[in-house]
Amino acid sequence: MDVRSQDAHGLEGLRAERGVLRLATRAMGTRFELVLACEDEPRARAAGEEALERIEQCDARYSVFTSSSLIARANRDASERPVKLDPELFELLQRCQSLCAESDGAFDVAIGPLMRALGFRGQRIDAPRGSSSGSFELDATTRSVRFTRPDTQLDLGSIAKGHALDLAAAVLRERGVDRALLHGGTSSVIALGTPPDHAEGWRVRIGPDGAFEACLRDSALSVSAPRGRTADFGGHTIGHILDPRTGRPVPLGLRAAVVAPSAEAADAWSTAALVLHARGRPLHLHRPADQSWLIEDEGVEPQFWGSRGSFAPHSGLQASHR
Amino acid sequence: MSTPDRRQLLHASAGGAAALFLAPSFELLHPAIVGAPLTLAVIGAGRQGRAILGELATIPEATVVAVCDTDDSRLQSAVRRAQGLKGYASHKELLEKEPGIAAVVIATPTHLHRAIALDCIAAGKHVYCETPLAHTVEDTAAIAAAAKGSSKVFAGGYQGRSNPVYSLARSFFKAGTLRQLSHLRAQDHKKTSWRTSGSTPERDKELNWHLDGDISLGLAGEKGSHQLDVFHHFLGRYPVSVRGEGELRLHKDGRTVADTILLDLRFDDGLRANYSSTLCNSYEGRYELIGGEMALIKLGWTHGWMFKEADAPTQGWEVYANRQQYHNDSGITLIADATKLAAQGKLTEGVGLPYTSLYYALADFVKAASEGKAPACSASEAARSTVVGILANQAVKSGSEVAIDPALLESL
């Protein structure tokens, strides 16, 4: 998925308009971009930069690739002793535990060893034995995390972008920005208010040639597709979305789009929805009531759960997604 | 270290200039703090104050109980982020109502440090004060004098002094690895407006104090003094004069400080330090270079490297070195305690610091305050680099050479 700035109807068109500012930063191995409607450019730029700085801070604290990150610290030491966390990460991990339970283990941040075994996190390691879920515990009194299995590694790859977007959006709101669109790594997007010229909301296309678009207004969208990142495993091309229970990659042809009140929830559930679909689970048992899901599979009619109106046939664009 | 590990390490060790990766010992990497937890308050909840709150929350030996900011929206935002934190609108109220606090961290605008630092020292608190310490020589001297008269710990916020990568690089430097020094160079390049957006336009001016040339030390003081302090720390001496130039290249939004500056500092033996800072372009970010006859040390906050000349003697530890490619220069990356790290399978996973630089600075302060020991950055050291920053900013503003009086620095 991509908010394609080159698209004639896409964000590039917005830049030419007066009172619209675009900012971007590189974080979490990808590019975060922010479009905001503004009257006072220096103030809007300052607010936008602070929002992007919040995303950079998330990257510095949650990346498995940065040795000084809090997550790297936990992965290094939490199997030997409890590691004290800041309130933000502690609460995020609490929510991750809830998500894991609600999704029947389809979402699991303790998926680190599996990701590494399949070659998605640098040097390959041997695959872990058995399930990877439920292998860390949180202690609220000491605000610490401790691994209950020595091979546990946390990997926030399926939630960090959404979480960072929510924090960045909160910074914008605190600074008085009420019309903005932020996307991260072209797979998660959050909308504040509406664009200056579209009262109904920010229209975002799902997939480069996708048949659907979402109209966002103070809501978020996340799209997960195994094709987004692939690796070669034993001569086969596999996608980066795995069932944490079995380690099995979900089929490459799948794509899930989730519209939710927060980018964090959309990010986490778009991954979980794919895994649950691949397991053949009835998705209505798991979908939170305030979310809308779209599952696309090659050669199969698209399936919708929740508000069908969240996804409309693709038309003219504000921003397009690949 | 097993043979396969070593082979793996040396795999990329093709010729060319050598960049030695510097990483500190295990003990330095895992700062152990003993004693009772230290109760702290953070004064100032702006960007730096919030970063400090975030790091202190992960230090087991520190307990933050209160935060203070004159801006209510910032204060409430900080209180919301950390559970059980008490918020105060002024440092005086905080000192009055929280007598049990042992230590404070001051992260307010630079020109407000003096009054707050003096009140906190007078109240018998251990003080960590962000740097530069103050915006005038007079205020800096007043803070330094008060700190020296206190029985409590006073630590300045120049983080190069507590950063283990810098400490390890300094040990190579002190051992004479570079031989005759050739040049010093540092830069801080980042594309940013350096502006803060307040809850109302009226609050903007107050929050953007660093864009007001009357009270701000500009890039030379606010950013440059941190990097020049690295040179002071390594060399153990200070420049005797500074020339500067500054331009407003991009951010023409009413600010009265340059967004791009150059400094040329001269030491008494003719050694020069060049410094460049801009808010218009991010290329190569931030680093310090210390060049010499036999090698050059490059320091980049969480990482450090040494580029050796071809005729430099080979040292024993180089067999444990990783190598990295830098444009035309390929070189060794060295990690101290490489054997131990390799045995734990941790060497090839990335060789940066396990904690942030700010964490080390705050952990050092917590340890110093808990154990009554000297902090890594003393009041005098912080004051001297602050004054160099103040004079460098004067040079940028005047576009002429400014003398740095050794007697003045000595008195601090």
Side-chain angles (χ1 to χ4, degrees), chain B residues 130-151:
Chain B
E130 269 303 343
T131 41
L133 287 184
H135 73 310
T136 64
V137 173
E138 187 194 345
D139 282 8
T140 308
I143 293 173
K148 279 195 265 188
S150 166
S151 61

Side-chain angles (χ1 to χ4, degrees), chain B residues 320-345:
Chain B
Y320 297 117
N322 259 335
R323 294 199 176 231
Q324 279 189 337
Q325 185 73 30
Y326 285 91
H327 190 46
N328 291 328
D329 296 317
S330 75
I332 314 165
T333 60
L334 171 76
I335 301 117
D337 270 353
T339 316
K340 201 186 288 180
L341 288 168
Q344 296 174 339

Side-chain angles (χ1 to χ4, degrees), chain A residues 254-312:
Chain A
L254 285 175
R255 180 163 65 201
V258 168
V259 173
S262 78
E264 182 183 294
D267 199 5
W269 278 106
S270 64
T271 306
L274 281 180
V275 171
L276 290 166
H277 179 81
R279 282 183 193 169
R281 296 281 301 170
L283 296 189
H284 65 273
L285 295 179
H286 294 281
R287 181 186 61 82
D290 56 2
Q291 297 186 8
S292 300
W293 292 7
L294 159 65
I295 306 277
E296 296 176 278
D297 195 354
E298 282 169 348
V300 180
E301 278 293 300
Q303 301 173 42
F304 299 91
W305 285 267
S307 167
R308 174 67 183 82
S310 296
F311 303 102

Side-chain angles (χ1 to χ4, degrees), chain A residues 42-43 45-47 49-50 53-54 56 61 67-68 70 73 76 84-87 91 123 143 174-175, chain B residues 47 50 54-55 57-59 62 80-81 83 192-193 195-198 200 204 348 352-355 359:
Chain A
R43 290 198 81 221
R45 181 177 291 277
E49 284 175 353
E50 273 191 74
E53 221 173 82
R54 201 79 177 81
E56 290 162 9
R61 299 183 86 70
S67 61
S68 59
L70 259 180
R73 224 184 275 178
R76 240 183 346 257
K84 191 179 173 190
L85 305 173
D86 65 10
E91 286 163 20
Q123 198 185 1
R143 209 201 306 127
E174 269 179 32
R175 301 286 175 265
Chain B
R47 288 186 200 187
R50 291 194 298 267
E55 289 299 343
T58 69
I59 299 176
R80 267 198 309 276
R81 275 197 212 180
Q83 303 137 332
T192 171
S193 70
R195 184 176 270 284
T196 299
S197 175
T200 63
D204 276 13
T348 53
L353 278 179
Y355 298 85
Y359 180 99

Side-chain angles (χ1 to χ4, degrees), chain B residues 31-34 38 61 362-373:
Chain B
I33 304 164
V34 291
L38 189 72
E61 295 78 5
L362 293 169
D364 173 76
F365 170 61
V366 169
K367 189 174 162 68
S370 302
E371 299 176 6
K373 290 181 178 168

Side-chain angles (χ1 to χ4, degrees), chain A residues 200-282:
Chain A
E200 70 278 21
W202 302 84
R203 296 212 299 268
V204 181
R205 188 176 181 178
I206 296 159
D209 311 308
F212 299 96
E213 63 183 34
C215 186
L216 303 177
R217 179 176 183 169
D218 296 313
S219 58
L221 164 73
S222 180
V223 177
S224 285
R227 282 201 205 283
R229 270 189 68 208
T230 57
D232 180 74
F233 191 76
H236 298 282
T237 300
I238 57 166
H240 69 298
I241 295 165
L242 317 174
D243 187 333
R245 287 271 169 89
T246 61
R248 191 174 296 149
V250 306
L252 272 179
L254 285 175
R255 180 163 65 201
V258 168
V259 173
S262 78
E264 182 183 294
D267 199 5
W269 278 106
S270 64
T271 306
L274 281 180
V275 171
L276 290 166
H277 179 81
R279 282 183 193 169
R281 296 281 301 170

Side-chain angles (χ1 to χ4, degrees), chain B residues 157-181:
Chain B
Y158 287 124
Q159 295 172 20
R161 293 178 185 261
S162 49
N163 182 319
V165 163
Y166 284 55
S167 300
L168 183 77
R170 187 166 171 267
S171 70
F172 282 110
F173 176 84
K174 289 287 180 194
T177 307
L178 274 52
R179 292 217 197 139
Q180 179 63 36
L181 289 181

